[in-house]
Amino acid sequence: MAYPVPSAPKRTPLTAAVGSAASGHHALPTVEEVSAGGVVVDTATDELRVAIIARFNRGGRLEWCLPKGHPENAETNEEAAVREIEEETGIQGKVLATLGSIDYWFTVSGHRVHKTVHHFLLRATGGELTIENDPDHEAVDVAWVPLAELGRKLSFPNERRIVDLAREVLPEYL
C-alpha cells in the first residue's frame, strides 16, 4: 500500500539556481525583496528587554518575530530599520551596530521570492509599545521580552541567531 508523501513547507529554501528548471517543469518568475529591521533593546532596565511583534503568517499561525519592513524611496537599510521598528512597535531607536543579513526563498502567488533582511542592533530612545502606528497592520501584538528569554519566544531559528549576535556585541555599548 502506498502512502501519500507530504509536500514541502512553503518556506523551504530552494537549492536550484535562479532561472533553472527541472525537465518538464516551467520555471517560476523570481522577485527580489529587501527588508530591514532588528533588535531594539531597552538598556534602561537590568533585564535588557527587546521589543518584538506578533503577526499571523499566510497559513494563519501566530508568529513572534523581530520588527522589519521594506525601505521606502531612497531610504538606507539603517533608516528603514529605525522607521519600521518604530512603526511596528512604537519604540524609537538609535542604531548601534550592524548584525548581519539573512536571506531565504519562498513561493507565493505563482512566483518565487528571494528575500534578504538586514538586521541592526538599536538602543531604545523613546516611545511606548503599541501596534497602532503600523500602517500595514501586520503586527497584531507587541511585547517587551527580556533578552535572556528571547530565544524561546521567537518563531524563527534565523532570527534567534541574529539575537545571539546582538547578545555578543551589546556589552560594547552598555
Side-chain angles (χ1 to χ4, degrees), residues 12-67:
T12 301
L14 300 177
T15 56
V18 173
S20 69
S23 173
H25 292 88
H26 299 285
L28 293 174
T30 299
V31 175
E32 296 286 333
E33 281 189 16
V34 173
S35 288
V39 179
V40 60
V41 181
D42 178 3
T43 57
T45 65
D46 289 339
E47 63 184 356
L48 300 173
R49 303 177 304 168
V50 176
I52 61 172
I53 63 167
R55 63 178 181 203
F56 289 104
N57 68 14
R58 289 180 178 90
R61 187 173 65 94
L62 188 69
E63 300 171 330
W64 283 95
C65 54
L66 297 173

Side-chain angles (χ1 to χ4, degrees), residues 21-174:
S23 173
H25 292 88
H26 299 285
L28 293 174
T30 299
V31 175
E32 296 286 333
E33 281 189 16
V34 173
S35 288
V39 179
V40 60
V41 181
D42 178 3
T43 57
T45 65
D46 289 339
E47 63 184 356
L48 300 173
R49 303 177 304 168
V50 176
I52 61 172
I53 63 167
R55 63 178 181 203
F56 289 104
N57 68 14
R58 289 180 178 90
R61 187 173 65 94
L62 188 69
E63 300 171 330
W64 283 95
C65 54
L66 297 173
K68 61 187 164 295
H70 301 285
E72 295 178 356
N73 304 318
E75 272 183 329
T76 66
N77 290 327
E78 266 189 27
E79 292 166 337
V82 169
R83 178 185 51 75
E84 286 288 343
I85 289 168
E86 184 173 359
E87 285 179 358
E88 292 186 349
T89 69
I91 302 302
Q92 301 154 353
K94 177 181 187 262
V95 173
L96 300 176
T98 299
L99 294 174
S101 301
I102 52 178
D103 74 309
Y104 53 93
W105 292 85
F106 59 96
T107 303
V108 63
S109 304
H111 61 276
R112 294 184 302 178
V113 177
H114 179 222
K115 187 164 188 171
T116 303
V117 184
H118 303 282
H119 288 91
F120 299 90
L121 173 63
L122 293 85
R123 173 182 285 126
T125 59
E128 293 182 23
L129 276 186
T130 182
I131 58 170
E132 296 304 314
N133 299 321
D134 181 6
D136 301 324
H137 304 290
E138 290 179 52
V140 296
D141 200 0
V142 62
W144 283 116
V145 177
L147 184 60
E149 298 172 21
L150 203 52
R152 291 187 296 276
K153 187 77 169 173
L154 291 172
S155 298
F156 301 107
N158 56 12
E159 289 191 347
R160 290 193 290 271
R161 287 190 290 275
I162 292 293
V163 168
D164 289 343
L165 289 171
R167 196 176 285 115
E168 286 178 28
V169 301
L170 187 58
E172 297 173 32
Y173 301 97
L174 296 178

